[in-house]
Amino acid sequence: MHVLLTGGAGFIGRHVLAELLTRGHDVRVLDSLRPDVHADGKTASLDGAELIVADVRDPAAVDNALKGVEAVLHLAAKVGLGVAVSDLPDYASSNDAGTAELLAGMARARVTRLTLASSMVVYGEGVGLCAEHGAVRSGPRVESELKQANFEPPCPYCGKPLDTALVGEDVPFDPRNAYASSKVAQEFYAANWARVTAGSAGVLRYHNVYGPGMPRDTPHAGVASIFTSALRNGEAPRVFEDGRMRRDFVHVRDIAAATVAVCEAHTNGVRAFNVGSGTPRTVGDMALALAQALKGPLPIVTGAYRLGDVRHITADVSRLRNELGWAPQVSFEDGMAELAQG
C-alpha cells in the first residue's frame, strides 16, 4: 500500500516506519518537526520514505501529503501529561484540530482507511475491584489524601482500597488530564469521520511505551527514559508515590508491529485495540530493573505525586491477540537490558 504516516519522524513513528518498509509498503511521512520534540527543527534521514515537513493543521499541506495515498497512520500529536491549565490550548490545537484537519483532508481525497494512535490514558483509573461492591470506577484523586500518602484509590461506596483489574476496550472513557482529553476527542472525531465516509478506523490504545530512540531530558520523556538518564548521570532514579503504581510497559517494536498489523487488517468500521505486554509491572519494578542493569544506585521512593497521574492502569490485550493474532515479542527483562546497553 501507499501509506501516509503522520509523526513518522518521532520516537514511535520511526519504529512504525521501519515496520512498514520491512513489510513492503510505500511510505510518505508528514511531520512538523515541532521544536519541543525536535530541538533543532531537524531530523535524521528517513531512509526509504518521502518526508514532507508540515503541520497536520495546514489543509494545503494535508491535501498535498494525501495525493495517491491508500491508508493513513496518524501518530502526530503533542504528548506528555499536561500539568497546567495553560497547556490546554496546545493540546486542543495540536491533537484535536490537527486530527480534524487530517480527517477533512482524507474525506476530500477519498482515503477511507485510518489507523489512529490513541492511548491508555483515555481510561483514567480504569476499573477497580471492591470486595463488597465488585467492579467500580474510582473518583478523582484528592490532593489532601495524596499529601498523607494515601495513594490507593478508594471504593466510591465504602471507601476501602480497591484491588486492580485489567482494563478492556469497552471500559468507558475517564480522561484525567489534558493529553487524555485530547486523545478522547481524537477517537470521537475518527468515529464521526468513519460514519460519514463509510471509512474504517483502527484505534490503538498504547500503554507505556519504551525502547531505543526514546526522547530524553524533555517534557515528553517517559518514565523509563527519565530513570535511565538519571542512572547514566550516576544518580538514583526517583520514584513517585510509593513506587507501587501498576503499568503495562510495552516495547516500541511490539507497538510498531501491532500498529502495522491493524493498518493492514482492519478495513471495516471502528474498532479499538489495547496494545500492551499483558503483564502488569510497578513503576518501582522498572526503576529497580534499570538500576540493576546499569549497575547504578538503587531507586529512591520519594512520596511525591502529580495530581493528574493515575494510580493503576493495565491492559487486557486479548482482543488484539484473538482478532489479529498479534502477540508481544520483547520480554520485560530483554527490554530493560537493551535500554541499559543503549
Side-chain angles (χ1 to χ4, degrees):
M1 285 189 296
H2 192 177
V3 173
L4 175 64
L5 172 62
T6 74
F11 162 46
I12 297 175
R14 283 182 169 274
H15 288 272
V16 172
L17 172 61
E19 185 74 11
L20 286 165
L21 294 174
T22 296
R23 297 197 190 192
H25 298 290
D26 295 320
V27 187
R28 178 180 296 145
V29 169
L30 176 64
D31 199 301
S32 67
L33 304 184
R34 55 183 298 154
D36 56 350
V37 178
H38 304 270
D40 56 3
K42 299 179 181 179
T43 185
S45 175
L46 302 179
D47 293 335
E50 174 189 359
L51 172 63
I52 296 176
V53 179
D55 197 299
V56 291
R57 291 169 288 188
D58 180 346
V62 168
D63 287 344
N64 181 46
L66 284 167
K67 290 178 181 177
V69 163
E70 299 169 84
V72 173
L73 289 86
H74 182 34
L75 274 66
K78 176 179 173 65
V79 300
L81 176 65
V83 296
V85 174
S86 59
D87 293 324
L88 290 172
D90 196 11
Y91 280 101
S93 176
S94 299
N95 297 357
D96 305 347
T99 299
E101 288 288 2
L102 177 65
L103 294 171
M106 290 176 66
R108 290 191 294 271
R110 297 184 180 179
V111 178
T112 59
R113 295 179 66 168
L114 172 69
T115 305
L116 173 67
S118 186
S119 172
M120 55 85 184
V121 296
V122 300
Y123 298 123
E125 288 286 350
V127 174
L129 297 177
C130 174
E132 182 178 352
H133 298 100
V136 298
R137 303 297 295 270
S138 65
R141 302 186 84 184
V142 178
E143 189 156 18
S144 61
E145 291 295 314
L146 297 176
K147 285 181 177 178
Q148 298 178 52
N150 294 325
F151 299 124
E152 292 296 340
C155 173
Y157 304 106
C158 66
K160 296 178 181 177
L162 298 171
D163 288 331
T164 57
L166 297 180
V167 178
E169 291 87 349
D170 295 328
V171 169
F173 292 142
D174 184 20
R176 298 195 176 194
N177 56 58
Y179 177 59
S181 296
S182 72
K183 283 295 172 183
V184 168
Q186 284 185 314
E187 291 201 27
F188 280 132
Y189 280 126
N192 298 155
W193 163 85
R195 281 193 293 270
V196 171
T197 63
S200 64
V203 178
L204 294 106
R205 294 175 183 158
Y206 299 155
H207 282 248
N208 291 72
V209 187
Y210 73 94
M214 287 187 304
R216 295 181 181 177
D217 304 318
T218 78
H220 307 301
V223 65
S225 183
I226 292 169
F227 291 163
T228 303
S229 293
L231 286 160
R232 289 200 172 114
N233 289 329
E235 302 168 0
R238 299 179 66 82
V239 183
F240 279 8
E241 300 185 18
D242 57 3
R244 297 176 184 171
M245 306 82 75
R246 286 161 57 96
R247 297 290 187 270
D248 188 321
F249 298 107
V250 56
H251 196 279
V252 68
R253 288 196 296 274
D254 287 330
I255 287 283
T259 302
V260 177
V262 170
C263 175
E264 292 174 337
H266 182 74
T267 60
N268 184 39
V270 179
R271 191 71 164 159
F273 300 92
N274 285 333
V275 191
S277 71
T279 303
R281 308 270 179 179
T282 70
V283 175
D285 289 339
M286 170 172 271
L288 180 59
L290 287 171
Q292 292 172 337
L294 287 162
K295 297 180 171 54
L298 293 178
I300 296 172
V301 177
T302 67
Y305 60 85
R306 296 185 299 186
L307 192 58
D309 281 340
V310 298
R311 176 65 174 174
H312 306 295
I313 183 69
T314 50
D316 179 349
V317 297
S318 58
R319 177 180 291 181
L320 192 56
R321 288 175 181 267
N322 295 338
E323 295 185 9
L324 297 184
W326 172 90
Q329 301 299 308
V330 183
S331 70
F332 180 77
E333 293 75 17
D334 289 345
M336 293 298 102
E338 182 183 29
L339 278 184
Q341 294 166 4

